[in-house]
């Protein structure tokens, strides 16, 4: 905190205390156990201003810290993820508040009601749960942002519960002027930096708090997936990227702000294709934080791109489902992001924990039968602990190719 944050009488006001609490919680946050790396030395997180950012027309190197230091170990990668997460929150998504003062869950009629109290204010929201007729309680579950547009019969047949998360209640997306509307903003103020995708990611975190403390809901909070289609797919990726308790992330046909790369989408647009770009998205809806509008025509200044947002999920499960027939999503952009994010999983020695599958079909967010095998395999491996499931998928139809030389000027290190 700087002197400017202290008021004239020399005291720090209540809002500063809330912020300080967030910073402290960030510092003591647990490191993920599943990497086998428990305590990397703490590195200071860089905090560049917009004007200090350097232009980079390639997809930025995930394996170089912001100051240029190399990432050579898995412990370094954990620190690099923290750095990427901070930069992505500062410049794109807005900040996710840390654990609030209290979260309570109550369960009745197949519905869990989540009540969150922070800084003397409370909100609550309810999520419906539909239980499978097979499988074992407590059930693994897939959280649908908005609604679940995946092939739900595949999920229930495998014994997964489906949870509907009412994202629009938390953060509105009914046009650019709806910024700051919804229960998240009732709690944290309408000028909070978070865009609605981050408001949803925060809400899913609170849902998980409630699932953990509400045994009556009968959900295994250690085996949770998150999904969503289209705009809700952008949200699903945000949930997986910013919450280590999500075991499997499945964004579906999410395009720009999700599975696409800002840089490659701009390039596709420059070739005359009708692809959604940063310049357009900031005018459509408040999905991103307000700081992102600075990048509408300067995405090459972003110190990350969406291969690194997908990389925030690593080494956890990630299955990207796309539709190469929908021009607006940016088929080359999504494939390029998928291939480069996969390089992160390769460096971590878990290439098969991330899959990419794009099949062209005319119905946006319909789920073609040809993509069911990969869905089944990822659910088995990450939600049902079936290590025999084969999840090596890098599927792309329609002659879409990955031009590595144009986009990537870094190599895959073998992280120790
Ligand atoms: C792909 O998701 C979005 C897209 O980003 C928007 O530009 C468009 O308006 O809506 C799509 C969507 O959510 O469709 C249901």
């Amino acid at each position: 905190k700087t002197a400017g944050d202290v008021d004239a009488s020399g005291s720090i006001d209540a809002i500063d205390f809330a912020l300080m609490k967030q910073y402290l919680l960030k510092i003591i946050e647990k490191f993920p156990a599943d990497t086998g790396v428990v305590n990397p030395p703490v590195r200071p997180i860089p905090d560049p201003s917009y004007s200090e950012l350097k232009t980079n027309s390639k997809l930025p190197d995930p394996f170089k810290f912001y100051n240029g230091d190399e990432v050579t170990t898995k412990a370094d990668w954990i620190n690099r993820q923290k750095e990427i997460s901070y930069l992505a929150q500062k410049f794109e998504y807005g900040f996710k508040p840390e654990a609030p003062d209290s979260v309570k869950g109550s369960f009745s009629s197949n519905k869990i009601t989540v009540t969150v109290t922070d800084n003397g204010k409370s909100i609550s929201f309810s999520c419906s749960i539909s239980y499978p007729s097979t499988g074992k309680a407590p059930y693994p579950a897939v959280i649908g942002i908005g609604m679940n547009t995946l092939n739900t019969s595949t999920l229930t047949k495998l014994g997964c519960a489906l949870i509907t998360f009412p994202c629009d209640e938390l953060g509105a997306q009914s046009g650019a002027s709806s910024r700051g509307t919804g229960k998240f903003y009732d709690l944290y103020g309408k000028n909070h930096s978070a865009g609605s995708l981050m408001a949803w990611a925060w809400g899913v975190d609170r849902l998980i708090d409630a699932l953990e403390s509400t045994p009556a809901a009968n959900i295994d909070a250690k085996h949770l997936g998150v999904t969503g289609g289209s705009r809700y797919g952008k949200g699903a990726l945000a949930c997986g990227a910013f919450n280590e308790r999500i075991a499997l992330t499945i964004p579906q046909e999410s395009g720009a702000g999700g599975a696409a790369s800002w840089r490659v989408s701009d390039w596709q647009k420059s070739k005359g294709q009708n692809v959604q770009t940063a310049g357009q998205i900031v005018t459509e809806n408040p999905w991103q934080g307000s700081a992102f509008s600075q990048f509408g025509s300067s995405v090459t200044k972003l110190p990350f791109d969406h291969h690194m947002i997908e990389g925030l999920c690593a080494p956890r499960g990630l299955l990207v489902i796309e539709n190469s027939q929908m021009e607006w999503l940016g088929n080359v952009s999504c494939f390029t992001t998928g291939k480069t994010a996969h390089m992160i999983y390769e460096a971590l020695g878990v290439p098969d924990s991330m899959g990419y599958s794009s099949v062209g079909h005319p119905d946006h967010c319909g789920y073609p039968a040809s993509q069911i095998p990969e869905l089944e395999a990822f659910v088995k491996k990450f939600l049902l602990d079936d290590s025999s499931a084969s999840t090596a998928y890098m599927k792309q139809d329609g002659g879409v190719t990955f031009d590595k030389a144009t986009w990537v000027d870094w190599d895959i290190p073998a992280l120790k």
Side-chain angles (χ1 to χ4, degrees):
K1 303 298 287 176
T2 63
D5 296 311
V6 178
D7 72 16
S9 70
S11 61
I12 299 170
D13 67 25
I15 293 169
D16 289 316
F17 280 117
L19 271 173
M20 263 187 251
K21 187 177 108 189
Q22 286 175 30
Y23 292 135
L24 287 171
L25 283 168
K26 247 187 194 135
I27 292 164
I28 61 172
E29 178 184 299
K30 278 187 275 139
F31 294 106
D34 53 359
T35 56
V37 182
V38 186
N39 263 323
V42 174
R43 276 179 71 100
I45 303 273
D47 195 19
S49 64
Y50 176 83
S51 59
E52 284 166 339
L53 295 172
K54 297 201 179 63
T55 297
N56 180 359
S57 57
K58 304 260 180 195
L59 295 179
D61 184 349
F63 304 114
K64 261 205 189 102
F65 285 99
Y66 185 78
N67 73 354
D69 289 356
E70 304 272 346
V71 172
T72 60
T73 65
K74 290 180 183 167
D76 282 344
W77 173 248
I78 290 176
N79 276 327
R80 177 68 170 132
Q81 274 180 317
K82 289 182 187 303
E83 185 177 285
I84 295 166
S85 173
Y86 179 82
L87 294 168
Q89 291 181 64
K90 173 164 181 163
F91 292 121
E92 181 172 331
Y93 288 88
F95 287 104
K96 187 173 91 170
E98 293 294 344
D101 292 336
S102 95
V103 180
K104 291 201 172 70
S106 69
F107 180 77
S108 81
S109 313
N110 289 355
K111 226 166 63 185
I112 184 162
T113 299
V114 184
T115 302
V116 187
T117 304
D118 209 7
N119 308 319
K121 286 188 189 161
S122 291
I123 58 152
S124 52
F125 60 91
S126 297
C127 306
S128 63
I129 307 181
S130 83
Y131 293 90
S133 51
T134 52
K136 226 173 68 217
Y139 297 98
V142 176
I143 301 166
I145 303 299
M147 57 181 177
N148 197 328
T149 46
L150 281 183
N151 185 287
T152 50
S153 64
T154 299
L155 304 175
T156 46
K157 211 174 58 204
L158 289 171
C160 293
L162 307 174
I163 305 180
T164 300
F165 175 73
C167 57
D168 296 73
E169 266 181 49
L170 275 294
Q173 42 151 4
S174 47
S177 65
S178 65
R179 180 175 294 285
T181 320
K183 290 177 180 174
F184 172 90
Y185 304 95
D186 294 343
L187 205 50
Y188 292 114
K190 67 178 175 43
N191 294 321
H192 192 280
S193 65
S196 45
L197 302 184
M198 189 53 100
W200 304 348
W202 171 90
V204 165
D205 262 21
R206 308 291 69 89
L207 165 62
I208 300 174
D209 293 340
L211 290 169
E212 282 178 348
S213 63
T214 313
N218 230 345
I219 296 295
D220 172 4
K222 296 235 171 318
H223 291 90
L224 291 175
V226 66
T227 188
S230 208
R231 59 193 61 202
Y232 305 110
K234 307 181 203 301
L237 179 60
C239 290
F242 297 104
N243 189 339
E244 284 160 6
R245 289 179 295 179
I246 297 287
L248 175 61
T249 303
I250 314 181
Q252 182 191 4
E253 297 191 37
S254 58
S261 140
W262 299 117
R263 286 168 173 81
V264 187
S265 293
D266 269 8
W267 173 83
Q268 280 198 259
K269 171 112 179 152
S270 77
K271 299 283 161 214
Q273 294 164 25
N274 184 27
V275 169
Q276 182 165 36
T277 59
Q280 185 278 340
I281 213 168
V282 296
T283 65
E284 184 179 342
N285 256 310
W287 290 310
Q288 288 74 31
S290 38
F292 189 62
S293 45
Q294 301 168 96
F295 296 90
S297 51
S298 59
V299 299
T300 51
K301 277 180 72 109
L302 284 167
F304 57 86
D305 212 319
H306 273 231
H307 59 305
M308 282 151 70
I309 304 299
E310 291 183 356
L312 290 178
C313 300
R316 291 171 290 120
L318 172 65
L319 172 62
V320 177
I321 299 290
E322 276 298 320
N323 180 349
S324 13
Q325 205 168 309
M326 299 281 134
E327 191 175 16
W328 188 239
L329 301 172
N331 52 10
V332 177
S333 184
C334 293
F335 188 46
T336 305
T337 309
K339 288 288 268 187
T340 37
H342 198 261
M343 291 165 78
I344 297 173
Y345 278 81
E346 285 170 49
L348 290 168
V350 287
D352 296 351
S353 293
M354 186 215 156
Y356 182 88
S357 173
S358 185
V359 169
H361 51 96
D363 49 332
H364 181 37
C365 288
Y367 198 89
S370 63
Q371 286 175 309
I372 292 178
E374 42 271 49
L375 177 59
E376 257 174 14
F378 272 83
V379 168
K380 281 185 184 161
K381 186 154 163 184
F382 291 99
L383 301 186
L384 303 168
D385 286 340
D386 175 357
S387 55
S388 71
S390 168
T391 51
Y393 282 96
M394 189 50 70
K395 198 157 139 183
Q396 174 65 65
D397 69 355
V400 174
T401 53
F402 167 47
D403 179 1
K404 190 171 172 199
T406 297
W407 297 110
V408 178
D409 59 0
W410 38 271
D411 295 315
I412 307 174
L415 299 180
K416 294 185 287 286

